[in-house]
Amino acid sequence: MEFFQHILLGFETAVSLQNLAYCFLGVLVGTAIGVLPGLGPTATIAMLLPITYGLQPEAALIMLAGIYYGSQYGGSTTAILVNLPGEVSSVVTCLDGYQMARKGRAGTALAVAALGSFFAGTVATVLIAAFAPLLTSFAFEFGPTEYFSLMLLGLIGAVVLAHGSLVKAIAMVLLGLLLGLIGTDVNSGVQRFTFGLADLTDGIDVVGVAMGAFAFTEIIRNLEKREAREILINKVRGLMLTRSEVREAAPAVLRGTALGSILGVLPGGGSLLGAFASYAVEKKLSKTPERFGTGEIKGVAGPESANNAGAQTSFIPMLTLGIPATAVMALMMGAMMIHNIQPGPGVMTSNPALFWGLIASMWIGNAMLVVLNLPLIGLWIKLLSVPYKVLYPAILIFCVIGSFSINNSVFDIYVAAFFGLVGYVFSKLKCEPAPLLLGFVIGPLLEENFRRAMLLSRGDGTVFFTEPLSAIMLAMAAGLVLLLALPTIRKEREQVFVEEE
């Protein structure tokens, strides 16, 4: 009974005129960003964070969440029609989606992607509503010792389960942790790594780091690329699925939803891990694996369902434990901190309208996306034809205005520009910026809980191993590191990185 009261509270919050408008705006912008290759939700949310200063917390988070899961829908449109992943998790969709479009089945591919994503998003939202309160109740048993171990497990998990070089990922996390230490120490009042600059007394704002490392860097990277887009405009027809197509795609949608929902909760999982895993599973289970890569409908249905389910279940650790599973979730935590809301188990009790309103808005947002995507295919095709040389100056101006508006300070523009250049150098070195952002956001919380634990234990470091929950989580972290030593796992990790590139 209490569960239904919470859901009712959520819908009362989500269906207010203001929140409905921002939900619609979020999913519309998210779809457009997903359609446009080279931006993605992380860069977009980083750009829009300054706007949330003037919004109610519920409206801000509903809009940002809509951008995230909306981009999963939009990414499939570009993958199918142009053979370019509009969003990273849509890389796999290119393999069969574009081949379906070349065979005149673009409408079928777009329809199965939209409907599979809607089903997966709806199921994932139910899972959030069902399991989030249980995890929140469990999290209230945590003290500073357990929180430190949990955050350490989250960071290691994000590194191990992500793609690319392990050494580079660890280096980026450590750099993020160091950047998080800049500013005034809360306990002693001593300034750390400020180099005598008054602007660094309060530390670096997460908006500047995110906007530079993602938005500015993406602009520079995409200006290097040649525009070569073959858009299959005249072949978008047949947006209604036949019964045989539904029967063929349904099992893949169910498996993709289940797989994406589970992997989305893991640190570093999100939508990308689920999409790749779903494609591998469908190809493994298929009686005709040779058809994959030539226009197999299961190669679109499974990954598209998995990436949307994973995008939404990645909210679970952020809302309940205060641990961001992905870079986008780290930005969502930043948005909550902007409004003086401490992410973690206290959110559900101190801000129930925010917690349940966000969950209810996901149901509404997914319904909006189905209504938006298929009828507006023509609009998205026209958007794809807009030259990058027109888009990027406008995006850059918007970024500069957003950076300045954080504290009405030119210094924040310099910070964003600096991290834009640094991020570009990192991209050339094949270093992903997501671990850096995770380390930057979690770093201060990690330090705070470590120091609290040491104060309570009077300097006894063994407390992290004598407390049962803390010891279990540290053992899990060690197990993840050992898991990566397996040759098969290491090979798969490198293969995912190569395919995404």
Side-chain angles (χ1 to χ4, degrees):
M1 191 65 183
E2 186 179 1
F3 174 77
F4 291 106
Q5 290 176 345
H6 289 153
I7 296 297
L8 183 61
L9 173 63
F11 275 102
E12 286 177 359
T13 303
V15 298
S16 71
L17 188 60
Q18 182 191 39
N19 291 338
L20 278 176
Y22 280 107
C23 182
F24 178 81
L25 178 63
V27 296
L28 182 64
V29 171
T31 304
I33 291 303
V35 168
L36 290 171
L39 283 178
T42 310
T44 306
I45 291 174
M47 288 189 290
L48 294 181
L49 269 183
I51 293 177
T52 64
Y53 278 86
L55 300 179
Q56 293 295 321
E58 295 85 356
L61 290 179
I62 286 172
M63 181 184 71
L64 296 179
I67 291 171
Y68 182 38
Y69 58 79
S71 67
Q72 310 304 315
Y73 279 76
S76 63
T77 302
T78 309
I80 292 166
L81 297 180
V82 195
N83 199 27
L84 287 173
E87 212 281 318
V88 176
S89 59
S90 299
V91 170
V92 185
T93 308
C94 293
L95 301 177
D96 285 281
Y98 185 68
Q99 294 303 320
M100 288 181 70
R102 292 187 66 184
K103 294 177 179 179
R105 300 180 66 198
T108 302
L110 290 167
V112 77
L115 296 175
S117 295
F118 171 71
F119 175 81
T122 303
V123 172
T125 306
V126 172
L127 293 176
I128 296 174
F131 289 103
L134 297 176
L135 279 175
T136 300
S137 300
F138 177 66
F140 276 119
E141 304 297 324
F142 284 23
T145 306
E146 288 79 12
Y147 259 113
F148 169 81
S149 300
L150 177 65
M151 290 176 183
L152 189 62
L153 172 62
L155 281 177
I156 292 175
V159 170
V160 171
L161 297 177
H163 53 279
S165 168
L166 176 66
V167 175
K168 291 177 180 177
I170 291 173
M172 295 295 280
V173 166
L174 292 176
L175 179 59
L177 292 172
L178 288 174
L179 290 172
L181 297 178
I182 293 175
T184 305
D185 180 35
V186 177
N187 292 338
S188 64
V190 175
Q191 293 186 15
R192 304 181 298 189
F193 307 113
T194 59
F195 304 102
L197 296 174
D199 293 293
L200 291 177
T201 303
D202 294 327
I204 302 174
D205 197 287
V206 65
V207 178
V209 176
M211 197 175 290
F214 290 95
F216 282 28
T217 299
E218 284 300 311
I219 291 172
I220 299 171
R221 286 180 61 187
N222 283 285
L223 286 175
E224 288 185 330
K225 299 177 183 177
R226 288 186 177 181
E227 284 194 70
R229 291 180 281 181
E230 179 192 352
I231 306 173
L232 301 175
I233 296 177
N234 299 321
K235 299 184 180 180
V236 180
R237 59 179 182 270
L239 290 171
M240 295 296 293
L241 298 177
T242 64
R243 289 186 179 181
S244 61
E245 288 169 342
V246 171
R247 284 196 298 269
E248 192 176 0
V253 169
L254 292 172
R255 286 189 290 264
T257 300
L259 198 58
S261 298
I262 295 169
L263 295 178
V265 180
L266 300 176
S271 56
L272 178 64
L273 194 59
F276 276 99
S278 175
Y279 191 83
V281 167
E282 292 306 318
K283 191 172 182 179
K284 190 79 173 177
L285 294 177
S286 176
K287 295 179 181 179
T288 55
E290 67 277 1
R291 290 173 55 185
F292 281 78
T294 64
E296 174 62 59
I297 193 171
K298 293 179 182 177
V300 176
E304 281 300 311
S305 302
N307 70 27
N308 205 270
Q312 294 191 205
T313 56
S314 63
F315 281 85
I316 293 177
M318 190 273 290
L319 288 173
T320 60
L321 303 173
I323 303 295
T326 64
V328 172
M329 290 303 107
L331 290 175
M332 294 291 288
M333 283 182 60
M336 294 175 75
M337 292 174 181
I338 285 172
H339 292 278
N340 295 318
I341 298 172
Q342 182 64 39
V347 175
M348 193 173 75
T349 54
S350 61
N351 295 278
L354 170 71
F355 185 91
W356 293 104
L358 179 60
I359 292 173
S361 75
M362 293 180 185
W363 271 308
I364 298 170
N366 275 284
M368 287 179 176
L369 282 164
V370 173
V371 175
L372 275 175
N373 272 306
L374 298 181
L376 295 181
I377 288 296
L379 175 63
W380 305 136
I381 290 173
K382 290 180 180 178
L383 187 61
L384 281 169
S385 63
V386 177
Y388 288 159
K389 61 183 179 182
V390 175
L391 287 174
Y392 288 133
I395 295 170
L396 188 61
I397 292 171
F398 188 82
C399 288
V400 171
I401 293 172
S403 299
F404 179 79
S405 66
I406 297 169
N407 298 305
N408 292 328
S409 171
V410 178
F411 181 77
D412 291 314
I413 300 177
Y414 296 150
V415 169
F418 172 77
F419 280 102
L421 293 173
V422 170
Y424 176 71
V425 173
F426 285 151
S427 72
K428 289 297 183 183
L429 297 174
K430 306 296 183 185
C431 295
E432 293 293 314
L436 182 145
L437 187 62
L438 291 174
F440 178 77
V441 172
I442 292 181
L445 301 173
L446 190 75
E447 180 197 16
E448 181 182 347
N449 283 283
F450 174 77
R451 293 174 76 168
R452 282 181 183 175
M454 293 299 287
L455 284 171
L456 291 173
S457 66
R458 302 195 179 194
D460 183 9
T462 60
V463 68
F464 297 104
F465 303 97
T466 54
E467 292 289 337
L469 278 176
S470 176
I472 290 171
M473 286 184 283
L474 290 177
M476 290 171 64
L480 284 175
V481 174
L482 293 174
L483 181 67
L484 195 66
L486 297 174
T488 305
I489 301 296
R490 188 166 60 248
K491 183 180 178 182
E492 288 292 326
R493 175 193 179 101
E494 292 169 356
Q495 181 64 27
V496 168
F497 180 70
V498 170
E499 288 179 3
E500 183 188 334
E501 287 295 310

